[in-house]
Amino acid sequence: MSNPYIKINNLHKSFGNLDVLKGISTTIDKGEVIAIIGPSGSGKSTFLRCLNLLETPTSGQVWIGSDELTAKGTDIMKVRQNVGMVFQHFHLFPHKTVLENVTYAPITVKGVEKNVAEKQAINLLKSVGLSDKANQYPNRLSGGQKQRVAIARALAMAPDVMLFDEPTSALDPEMVKEVLDVMKSLAHTGMTMAIVTHEMGFAKEVADRVLFLDGGVLVEDVPPEEFFLNPSSQRARDFLDKVL
Amino acid sequence: MDLDFLRIVPSIPFILNGIWVTLLFVLVSAILGFLIGTILSLFKIGNIRGLKWFADAYTSIFRGTPLILQLMLIYFATPQLIGYDIPAFLAGILAFGLNSGAYISEIIRAGIQAVDKGQREAAEALAIPYKPMMKDIILPQAMKNILPALLNEFITLTKESAIVATIGFMDIMRRAQVVSANTYTAFEPLIFAGLIYYILVMGLTLLGRAVERRLRRSE
Ligand SMILES: Nc1ncnc2c1ncn2[C@@H]1O[C@H](COP(=O)(O)OP(=O)(O)OP(=O)(O)O)[C@@H](O)[C@H]1O
Ligand SMILES: [Mg+2]
């Protein structure tokens, strides 16, 4: 096998004396799409947030490319420039227009010139089907539109990895598809993606691999066909019985 | 009852001139208080232990002792300690600025902490450094919470500013006292001064409401 792009080795995270991640080890190849599934409180968000250092791992190692995130003196900002994140509740900047939401980070962090950043942003907004909303404020958008802007905003930093934490969980049902479609086409561009999701159909269709977390333990780490048709653990079977 | 406002008519311009004195005093105090409050609030929300401790101690002391005592200390202790004969205006500005800095730091801290935590996370996930994050993302949103409370503080300052009369500063209050002494009238000048304060405060209150309405409309 080729040299994996992301390597996670015995990752632990605790909050006080609550052990949330109890030694997770896996690898993710460049261009792979990973679905992270598991019951509430199993540590899915925490796991994801360790990959862009919104949470600091308690122990273990995480590499992205040649950078070890868990090394002493890692440049957190440099890591985050390379790892985009999309949140359940969008977190768009409400006082900035859609266009400003998308251009703010490239201009501020990377020093991209304003007109260059705006051109890029318009292209990104086109790719998520929202170029006509460039001058609107976020509160004028539907949930699905907000989330697509949030995806464009993250992509504007040209990251190599994209993290999604339940990107469709806060949406009305009729808006789930438009967001999943954007993610699907992003996956087709070869983006490396880690997606916490409850959309089993989407996971089945788009993911290259499913990570099933339960109680902070990585219980299954298999291709979706295997996970959905023939899970090896009782815990995964119980979980699937409940959600399918 | 022997109220005769005619007696103070010649002195009315003298008292009215105090409006500018009072307003200038309040404005300068408020600006100083805002500067101090901003710095202290940054200390409070930052994660440098010593600065946090300092800001908390500062706030506690200035909120925990009478303003008039702080004023007296600055006015009378400065000449005694460093031999500088501090003018009433400067002593008043210092006392009010330092004091309202403590209150304003709490207003700003609370306003910042009321901004959705997700905003900060989104900014952090985009690798936006602390300074631009505060300046461009957090503070503009915090202003909506902060501005109405700041105007309230300004109104409080306007009323409380009357205590600088005790160190001889010629504000509205002091002028009323002077007129009272010169004309041997006890009530009329004070009632007139009270009317001026009330109109000032009402004006600022209306202004505050207008600002609040505008902020709400831009939601
Ligand atoms: N900052 C924190 N401080 C303390 N405990 C936390 C913190 N963040 C998460 N936890 C706890 O860690 C555990 C795992 O949380 P996490 O959010 O990772 O779960 P999850 O799998 O994403 O759940 P959900 O499906 O509900 O989003 C939970 O018990 C949660 O209460
Ligand atoms: Mg979660």
Side-chain angles (χ1 to χ4, degrees):
Chain A
M1 227 182 93
S2 66
N3 193 23
Y5 183 54
I6 300 177
K7 281 177 283 186
I8 298 150
N9 180 31
N10 201 19
L11 173 66
H12 283 261
K13 174 68 188 177
S14 34
F15 295 106
N17 39 22
L18 177 69
D19 291 331
V20 176
L21 299 179
K22 300 170 184 164
I24 309 260
S25 300
T26 189
T27 62
I28 302 174
D29 285 333
K30 193 128 201 169
E32 228 182 342
V33 176
I34 303 292
I36 301 161
I37 292 173
S40 180
S42 56
K44 305 181 296 292
S45 297
T46 306
F47 173 69
L48 208 62
R49 293 158 61 87
C50 282
L51 301 184
N52 68 348
L53 299 177
L54 281 187
E55 303 292 354
T56 311
T58 308
S59 69
Q61 290 92 39
V62 178
W63 283 270
I64 296 184
S66 54
D67 298 322
E68 187 191 339
L69 276 56
T70 40
K72 262 217 173 95
T74 303
D75 185 349
I76 295 181
M77 289 304 178
K78 193 172 149 248
V79 170
R80 287 177 181 161
Q81 284 189 40
N82 191 37
V83 183
M85 188 168 207
V86 173
F87 301 87
Q88 179 177 358
H89 295 287
F90 333 124
H91 301 323
L92 293 180
F93 306 133
H95 59 301
K96 293 186 176 293
T97 64
V98 165
L99 189 70
E100 289 165 350
N101 264 276
V102 180
T103 57
Y104 178 72
I107 292 173
T108 311
V109 179
K110 290 187 162 175
V112 177
E113 266 183 59
K114 189 165 176 245
N115 58 336
V116 176
E118 284 180 350
K119 235 176 254 164
Q120 257 171 13
I122 294 286
N123 282 334
L124 281 169
L125 288 172
K126 249 181 220 152
S127 71
V128 299
L130 288 173
S131 49
D132 56 324
K133 302 288 184 194
N135 296 313
Q136 298 271 9
Y137 282 89
N139 62 357
R140 305 289 298 275
L141 305 181
S142 71
Q145 291 171 333
K146 281 183 194 164
Q147 196 58 298
R148 286 186 279 150
V149 172
I151 293 172
R153 178 177 70 175
L155 289 175
M157 289 294 283
D160 288 324
V161 184
M162 284 284 284
L163 310 175
F164 295 83
D165 194 354
E166 301 197 30
T168 58
S169 294
L171 300 180
D172 293 335
E174 72 271 20
M175 290 167 188
V176 169
K177 185 171 178 299
E178 63 189 56
V179 171
L180 292 181
D181 284 346
V182 165
M183 292 168 62
K184 221 180 281 178
S185 52
L186 185 60
H188 288 145
T189 67
M191 178 63 77
T192 309
M193 296 161 73
I195 308 164
V196 174
T197 186
H198 294 301
E199 298 289 335
M200 297 304 155
F202 177 77
K204 213 182 284 186
E205 185 191 338
V206 180
D208 299 306
R209 200 142 45 88
V210 170
L211 306 189
F212 176 70
L213 281 182
D214 191 14
V217 177
L218 183 53
V219 180
E220 305 252 359
D221 184 351
V222 292
E225 309 80 51
E226 200 174 323
F227 178 75
F228 288 106
L229 295 178
N230 194 16
S232 58
S233 66
Q234 188 59 43
R235 285 201 266 184
R237 280 196 291 274
D238 291 345
F239 176 77
L240 286 171
D241 278 344
K242 261 182 245 154
V243 297
L244 289 182
Chain B
M1 192 112 139
D2 176 27
L3 275 183
D4 180 4
F5 282 93
L6 284 180
R7 270 186 297 188
I8 65 158
V9 165
S11 313
I12 281 179
F14 174 68
I15 298 182
L16 284 179
N17 276 333
I19 293 177
W20 308 117
V21 179
T22 288
L23 282 181
L24 180 71
F25 175 80
V26 173
L27 192 68
V28 178
S29 302
I31 290 171
L32 181 61
F34 183 72
L35 292 178
I36 292 173
T38 305
I39 294 167
L40 288 176
S41 68
L42 291 177
F43 288 177
K44 285 178 185 179
I45 59 171
N47 38 22
I48 302 171
R49 270 261 184 87
L51 295 181
K52 208 175 198 145
W53 180 89
F54 169 78
D56 285 339
Y58 181 103
T59 305
S60 166
I61 289 168
F62 275 93
R63 293 206 304 183
T65 54
L67 175 54
I68 190 163
L69 180 136
Q70 295 160 21
L71 179 68
M72 295 286 166
L73 268 182
I74 291 174
Y75 187 60
F76 294 115
T78 305
Q80 189 184 333
L81 291 182
I82 61 170
Y84 171 59
D85 221 351
I86 190 165
F89 182 74
L90 186 57
I93 295 294
L94 277 176
F96 275 73
L98 292 170
N99 181 278
S100 78
Y103 286 91
I104 290 175
S105 74
E106 278 300 288
I107 291 172
I108 297 177
R109 181 197 58 74
I112 288 172
Q113 287 179 345
V115 175
D116 180 8
K117 205 164 99 290
Q119 291 292 308
R120 192 181 174 135
E121 290 197 340
E124 284 176 352
L126 286 165
I128 295 163
Y130 183 79
K131 258 196 200 158
M133 172 180 78
M134 284 316 265
K135 181 168 79 63
D136 300 332
I137 307 296
I138 307 295
L139 285 179
Q141 296 183 63
M143 273 329 271
K144 286 198 178 164
N145 315 321
I146 293 172
L147 215 49
L150 272 186
L151 270 164
N152 263 337
E153 173 66 13
F154 197 82
I155 290 169
T156 306
L157 274 182
T158 306
K159 272 186 301 184
E160 295 296 310
S161 72
I163 68 169
V164 284
T166 58
I167 58 170
F169 181 62
M170 282 298 233
D171 67 337
I172 299 169
M173 182 68 190
R174 179 71 189 160
R175 282 161 193 255
Q177 289 172 339
V178 168
V179 171
S180 164
N182 289 346
T183 59
Y184 307 102
T185 52
F187 293 121
E188 292 88 343
L190 286 178
I191 288 173
F192 186 64
L195 187 70
I196 296 176
Y197 280 111
Y198 186 71
I199 290 171
L200 285 181
V201 166
M202 282 303 118
L204 289 169
T205 305
L206 288 178
L207 181 71
R209 293 221 183 106
V211 168
E212 236 171 297
R213 258 199 311 277
R214 275 202 62 166
L215 285 178
R216 218 170 305 134
R217 203 168 331 132
S218 70
E219 286 276 287

